Amino acid sequence: MSAFQDLYYEYYGKTKSFLTGFLRDPIVCEDLTQEIFVKVWTMRHILPEVRSLNSYLYRMSKNVALNYLRSAAREVHGMADIEDDRILEDAISAKQKLKIVGRVISNMPLKRRSIFLMSRIIGIPNDRIAEQMNVSKKTVENHINLAGKELRRAMAELLVVIFIIFLS
């Protein structure tokens, strides 16, 4: 209990700050941070096996944030009639960005999508991905770079749409 309390006091602020930078909603981030530490407590039996607690909490935070955004994106997608101001807010929000990112990822060629998800979402090192997919490490890096370019292009297009909305 004492060790968990020390862990909580040392990492709570860092975890909440990371989530706030990702989601920009302090109230939601407070709840999600609490959720993360509840999960850490329930999974405390595996902590001795964790090589880097900082990385473990980072990955857990990233996954919790992505799950939250996926859930929020489903809610946004389900809304039919919303006011013009609300459309603009949604276009700028992380929820909308996640929706666009999801669409871009789902339209990637299968190998690129698999490599990108293994690297950026699951966090598998490039050399292990290369080994698992029976390709060179350079091929893995190329697919990750191409996926990044696709995502940046989609985000740039979103900014153009937002700019046009602001001008009208």
Side-chain angles (χ1 to χ4, degrees), residues 76-77 79 82-97 100 158 162:
V76 169
H77 185 65
M79 294 179 179
I82 44 183
E83 303 131 3
D84 289 340
D85 291 343
R86 185 77 178 134
I87 292 171
L88 180 58
E89 288 175 16
D90 288 344
I92 297 170
S93 74
K95 297 172 193 175
Q96 188 68 19
K97 290 177 188 172
I100 290 169
L158 173 63
I162 292 168

Side-chain angles (χ1 to χ4, degrees), residues 3-168:
F4 177 77
Q5 196 171 25
D6 292 342
L7 176 137
Y8 180 85
Y9 287 121
E10 183 170 343
Y11 288 98
Y12 182 86
K14 293 176 189 176
T15 303
K16 185 178 175 197
S17 292
F18 170 77
L19 288 171
T20 303
F22 200 92
L23 300 174
R24 309 257 189 252
D25 186 337
I27 295 169
V28 168
C29 293
E30 179 78 28
D31 291 342
L32 293 177
T33 303
Q34 292 293 333
E35 182 181 317
I36 288 167
F37 281 95
V38 167
K39 285 181 185 179
V40 168
W41 175 253
T42 59
M43 300 296 290
R44 66 189 177 277
H45 63 279
I46 68 161
L47 289 179
E49 299 170 20
V50 173
R51 282 189 256 168
S52 168
L53 194 55
N54 205 27
S55 296
Y56 179 73
L57 288 171
Y58 167 78
R59 169 116 343 105
M60 190 178 270
S61 300
K62 184 172 74 169
N63 289 338
V64 165
L66 289 171
N67 288 340
Y68 171 80
L69 290 173
R70 282 184 197 108
S71 172
R74 279 187 218 110
E75 288 176 26
V76 169
H77 185 65
M79 294 179 179
D81 297 322
I82 44 183
E83 303 131 3
D84 289 340
D85 291 343
R86 185 77 178 134
I87 292 171
L88 180 58
E89 288 175 16
D90 288 344
I92 297 170
S93 74
K95 297 172 193 175
Q96 188 68 19
K97 290 177 188 172
L98 179 68
K99 190 175 176 182
I100 290 169
V101 167
R103 193 174 301 132
V104 170
I105 291 172
S106 66
N107 288 331
M108 287 179 187
L110 180 60
K111 186 179 271 189
R112 183 174 307 149
R113 179 176 52 227
S114 298
I115 289 172
F116 181 78
L117 292 173
M118 291 168 77
S119 172
R120 296 300 188 248
I121 305 302
I122 300 171
I124 299 173
N126 291 355
D127 53 344
R128 279 202 24 223
I129 295 171
E131 188 179 304
Q132 287 178 4
M133 297 197 71
N134 200 25
V135 296
S136 72
K137 185 176 176 184
K138 186 70 175 165
T139 299
V140 170
E141 292 167 355
N142 286 339
H143 278 292
I144 292 170
N145 288 333
L146 289 170
K149 285 179 184 178
E150 288 181 48
L151 290 168
R152 283 189 294 280
R153 188 178 320 115
M155 287 300 124
E157 290 170 6
L158 173 63
L159 289 175
V160 168
V161 169
I162 292 168
F163 183 70
I164 291 170
I165 291 171
F166 273 125
L167 290 178
S168 58

